Amino acid sequence: MKANSPKRKIFDAVDMLTEETSAQAADKTENGVQMLPLDKIKAFHDHPFHLYEGERLNDMVESVKEHGILTPVIVQKIRGGYEMLSGHNRANAARIAGLTEIPAIIKEKLTEQEAYVYVIETNMIQRSFNDLLPSEKAAVMAEQYDKTCCQGKRNDIIRELELLSGETGSTCGHNGHKLKSRDALAQEYGFSSRNAARYLRLNYLIRPFKALMDKNGIPLLAAVDVSYMPEEEQQTLYDLMSERKLKITPKMAAQLRKASGDLDAEKMLEIVDGLSVKKNANGVSLKLPQAICSKYFEGMNAEQMASIVEQALDAWYAGKETAYV
């Protein structure tokens, strides 16, 4: 699928298939269809896509209430229940609609790579690449770039998904051809090779940073540099940002990446929220931590802030002199 391909207007195939078509597709799968309790199905352990919200979710819920789940979900058997591979949005809509069980195709003995192909390719049947959020684009590109399983098995999975969704004609994945090198991948999605490499790096972010990036809470270039930090340091940084309402700029992220490997919370604060004094042609430039500015200087201009700092220093030095008398 090209990056600029028209979006396929289906809601996880629920609204576009009849019950007869769904049953015919199910007959062609390996394991048939069973009704499974919703509370026995868990989300995929590394699901990279966001669930539908707003109008799109409401439309799906109404469709489920009227027609039920016409296309079975695909799950794999795990200890104590099942794990969703294809159908996270259908299951979510079913819960909201009040259903307690849904039709499912059960897979067993899949490798981790094969299971992930189901997860990625299902979403790419439904949406164009440009519809995806940054972390979702990164996951799609990584699945293609890393050659998650042998091409023959991958094609078998994709053909099965196409039968279930009513999409036919492709035999080599959502882009219609074999997996590529990074340069060819970049060309496919309209990126430079450098930008393709950046998106691939985003997969190394911890989940909270991926969510923050998707909400425009951290610039993409800053997120790329953060992705080079160990997960423990990433988590420490994220916690600091949340507690102190900090914003990370690309320049700060580059400094953090450079110092990575020996970072704790205190050292991170010295980089992203530290006190610094610089001399320039116009005098001295003083940088205060954001937390202090928010606490003491909210709504003030530079002249007012300078006046308060001067008064505070006068009082401090006066008290210091008294203490030594």
Side-chain angles (χ1 to χ4, degrees), residues 124-283:
M124 292 313 297
I125 285 174
Q126 301 161 43
R127 296 185 283 177
S128 74
F129 187 77
N130 284 337
D131 290 330
L132 304 180
L133 293 167
S135 68
E136 296 173 332
K137 290 179 179 178
V140 169
M141 293 178 70
E143 184 267 335
Q144 187 180 359
Y145 179 71
D146 290 342
K147 301 182 179 180
T148 54
C149 64
C150 69
Q151 190 67 27
K153 179 62 176 177
R154 188 174 189 270
N155 289 343
D156 290 341
I157 292 172
I158 294 166
R159 278 192 290 269
E160 178 185 355
L161 291 171
E162 288 173 343
L163 284 171
L164 288 169
S165 67
E167 297 282 345
T168 59
S170 171
T171 59
C172 297
H174 60 75
N175 54 8
H177 47 74
K178 293 182 179 180
L179 298 172
K180 306 171 183 66
S181 68
R182 191 180 74 193
D183 289 345
L185 189 67
Q187 184 177 4
E188 171 69 17
Y189 292 112
F191 292 151
S192 66
S193 181
R194 177 177 294 182
N195 274 341
R198 287 168 176 161
Y199 270 95
L200 290 171
R201 275 301 318 175
L202 296 177
N203 288 286
Y204 294 91
L205 287 170
I206 60 174
R207 190 173 290 274
F209 266 121
K210 289 180 180 178
L212 186 66
M213 177 182 62
D214 288 339
K215 295 177 181 178
N216 297 317
I218 182 172
L220 188 142
L221 290 180
V224 170
D225 276 325
V226 170
S227 75
Y228 284 93
M229 298 167 60
E231 289 188 1
E232 295 81 5
E233 290 185 0
Q234 288 190 43
Q235 188 62 56
T236 300
L237 177 61
Y238 181 82
D239 292 342
L240 283 175
M241 292 174 64
S242 300
E243 292 169 6
R244 295 172 174 261
K245 296 183 170 63
L246 300 175
K247 296 290 184 181
I248 299 298
T249 66
K251 183 177 180 181
M252 291 175 181
Q255 292 175 327
L256 287 166
R257 175 183 173 182
K258 187 176 181 180
S260 181
D262 188 33
L263 283 176
D264 55 20
E266 184 177 353
K267 291 178 180 178
M268 288 179 185
L269 283 174
E270 290 177 1
I271 294 174
V272 303
D273 195 32
L275 175 65
S276 62
V277 178
K278 296 181 180 179
K279 293 184 178 180
N280 53 47
N282 298 319

Side-chain angles (χ1 to χ4, degrees), residues 77-135:
K77 193 169 181 59
I78 59 174
R79 179 176 295 182
Y82 305 90
E83 185 177 50
M84 186 71 76
L85 300 177
S86 169
H88 290 80
N89 286 299
R90 272 167 280 170
N92 187 43
R95 287 189 184 92
I96 296 173
L99 302 186
T100 59
E101 58 180 16
I102 55 176
I105 298 169
I106 302 172
K107 297 292 180 183
E108 296 188 46
K109 300 180 180 179
L110 293 177
T111 66
E112 176 75 7
Q113 292 80 9
E114 290 166 354
Y116 201 57
V117 171
Y118 277 104
V119 175
I120 294 292
E121 294 297 338
T122 299
N123 280 271
M124 292 313 297
I125 285 174
Q126 301 161 43
R127 296 185 283 177
S128 74
F129 187 77
N130 284 337
D131 290 330
L132 304 180
L133 293 167
S135 68

